[in-house]
Amino acid sequence: MKLPKIPQYKVLPYDNSCFDKVKELFSMAFSGREIDEKSWEWQFYNNPCKNKAVTTLWDGDNLIALNGLSPAFCHLNGRKCISACSGTTMARPDYPGVSIQLFRECEEGNSDVELIYGFPNKNSFPIAKFIGHHYVGDICFWTIKPRRFDVSSNIYTITTFDKEEHGLLFMDLTERTDYLRDRNINYLNWRFVKKPFNNYSIVDYRKNGQIQGYLVYNLYREDIEQHLQVIDIIATTDESFVKLMEYAINEGCKKGVDIVKLWMSYSKYHETLRNLGFDYGTHPFKCVFWDRDMDLSDCYFTMSDSDIF
């Protein structure tokens, strides 16, 4: 498809000295919302994989468009490399077509990132399709109304990932999935412990002296409902996966929430979730990979793989 000819704007490396202009653009692009500087620095300056993966377009002294990537080491078809979630995208509404250049400049400026993916909203999705990004399907919530379980005594509350085993739990999944973020110790603590203003709770599952899984969750109010969100779960055995999910469902009951929900794209766990009573299909998020097609059911996406949650 031949793309329309649009003006080309100046590309500059991001520097935090222009954060005031980022705040102004963010407010303009997102109906007056404000962006927090601590969260910005955590996401783009303190990332343990790659920092300042931010592309900016300028018209003179005016910041007119910005795309920020959240990179992470990953395992892609058995190889360790870098992937990134493209989630922070903003453009001035009075510069139509500028997103086309923005995405191209972002891809060219991050050649060390092998896979870029995102979850575009209804406004961004047509642009993503137009410029050739690959729509690979929807990721929806698995949901259940909470109920009581006899929670395993092998589950422990933790406040940080301080055991070497925590950072190795994901390794078995690298041999069985086509895509999986590398959940090493540095990543886990950056993502779930050091995130500013986070309200995550973390538990792990231990049996016979070994850590066999962890689960990260938070509470979130959506309209008049209170939800318990399972942000991430990694388990080395089917038993530990079930016990951790039973804990989450029971915790939702104790806290009086209306819904317990999670993302789980990897098909191995779908039957297990259905057996626990989960339904699938609520609130679909369109998923695109920038340069390739992949089968989402062979990829391991949880809510933590987006920068939304």
Side-chain angles (χ1 to χ4, degrees):
M1 179 184 295
K2 188 176 180 179
L3 298 178
K5 187 175 181 179
I6 59 172
Q8 297 297 292
Y9 299 100
K10 183 169 56 177
V11 184
L12 291 177
Y14 178 76
D15 185 278
N16 221 27
S17 62
C18 68
F19 185 69
D20 285 343
K21 291 186 180 291
V22 173
K23 290 194 294 184
E24 181 182 344
L25 178 61
F26 187 88
S27 178
M28 188 181 305
F30 296 106
S31 305
R33 286 170 52 195
E34 295 184 0
I35 192 169
D36 175 73
E37 188 167 7
K38 287 185 178 179
S39 296
W40 181 267
E41 289 181 356
W42 166 81
Q43 185 171 4
F44 296 116
Y45 272 72
N46 301 328
N47 187 303
C49 174
K50 175 183 177 178
N51 58 36
K52 292 193 290 186
V54 180
T55 303
T56 60
L57 296 185
W58 298 78
D59 185 6
D61 293 331
N62 295 318
L63 176 62
I64 60 172
L66 179 148
N67 181 264
L69 299 180
S70 293
F73 293 109
C74 75
H75 294 261
L76 179 64
N77 296 320
R79 294 182 300 104
K80 187 173 181 178
C81 58
I82 297 177
S83 67
C85 176
S86 172
T88 304
T89 303
M90 56 188 96
R92 283 181 52 151
D94 52 342
Y95 282 78
V98 70
S99 295
I100 296 174
Q101 182 190 356
L102 179 66
F103 287 131
R104 285 177 168 173
E105 299 288 357
C106 176
E107 193 165 17
E108 291 176 8
N110 291 279
S111 58
D112 56 335
V113 178
E114 186 155 341
L115 171 67
I116 301 176
Y117 65 88
F119 307 98
N121 61 26
K122 63 181 181 181
N123 295 323
S124 300
F125 181 69
I127 298 172
K129 288 284 287 180
F130 184 72
I131 62 178
H133 293 178
H134 297 250
Y135 169 59
V136 295
D138 291 349
I139 298 182
C140 302
F141 286 124
W142 292 87
T143 59
I144 190 173
K145 290 190 178 298
R147 66 179 190 272
R148 293 286 183 187
F149 278 96
D150 291 327
V151 173
S152 171
S153 60
N154 293 327
I155 291 179
Y156 298 85
T157 298
I158 59 175
T159 57
T160 186
F161 294 94
D162 58 355
K163 307 293 186 186
E164 183 179 353
E165 300 100 299
H166 286 132
L168 299 174
L169 293 171
F170 75 97
M171 287 299 297
D172 180 58
L173 281 167
T174 64
E175 300 176 1
R176 296 186 279 122
T177 55
D178 291 343
Y179 172 80
L180 173 74
R181 269 193 179 183
D182 191 318
R183 286 154 164 84
N184 59 69
I185 286 286
N186 287 338
Y187 171 81
L188 291 176
N189 283 309
W190 170 77
R191 180 64 177 85
F192 302 119
V193 178
K194 297 179 181 179
K195 182 178 180 180
F197 313 113
N198 86 75
N199 62 340
Y200 300 136
S201 297
I202 312 168
V203 297
D204 65 14
Y205 180 83
R206 309 178 189 193
K207 188 174 182 181
N208 301 326
Q210 293 184 328
I211 300 172
Q212 296 185 3
Y214 71 80
L215 182 144
V216 181
Y217 69 93
N218 69 359
L219 301 181
Y220 175 76
R221 179 162 293 280
E222 185 170 301
D223 297 326
I224 62 172
E225 289 189 338
Q226 184 85 346
H227 294 183
L228 186 148
Q229 303 184 135
V230 176
I231 303 297
D232 196 29
I233 179 172
I234 292 287
T236 59
T237 66
D238 291 342
E239 177 189 17
S240 55
F241 182 88
V242 169
K243 294 302 182 184
L244 286 165
M245 288 307 308
E246 287 178 349
Y247 172 88
I249 298 167
N250 185 74
E251 193 70 8
C253 191
K254 284 170 56 179
K255 295 186 181 300
V257 306
D258 299 284
I259 293 291
V260 175
K261 65 184 183 184
L262 75 155
W263 280 6
M264 177 52 67
S265 64
Y266 184 42
S267 60
K268 176 197 171 182
Y269 292 123
H270 291 180
E271 183 177 357
T272 302
L273 289 170
R274 289 191 177 96
N275 289 341
L276 284 167
F278 280 87
D279 293 318
Y280 180 73
T282 303
H283 196 149
F285 290 78
K286 295 187 180 302
C287 182
V288 299
F289 288 3
W290 282 25
D291 69 345
R292 72 192 68 200
D293 285 313
M294 292 186 72
D295 187 343
L296 272 179
S297 67
D298 293 325
C299 299
Y300 198 95
F301 279 102
T302 68
M303 295 168 73
S304 70
D305 292 288
S306 166
D307 63 359
I308 303 171
F309 306 106

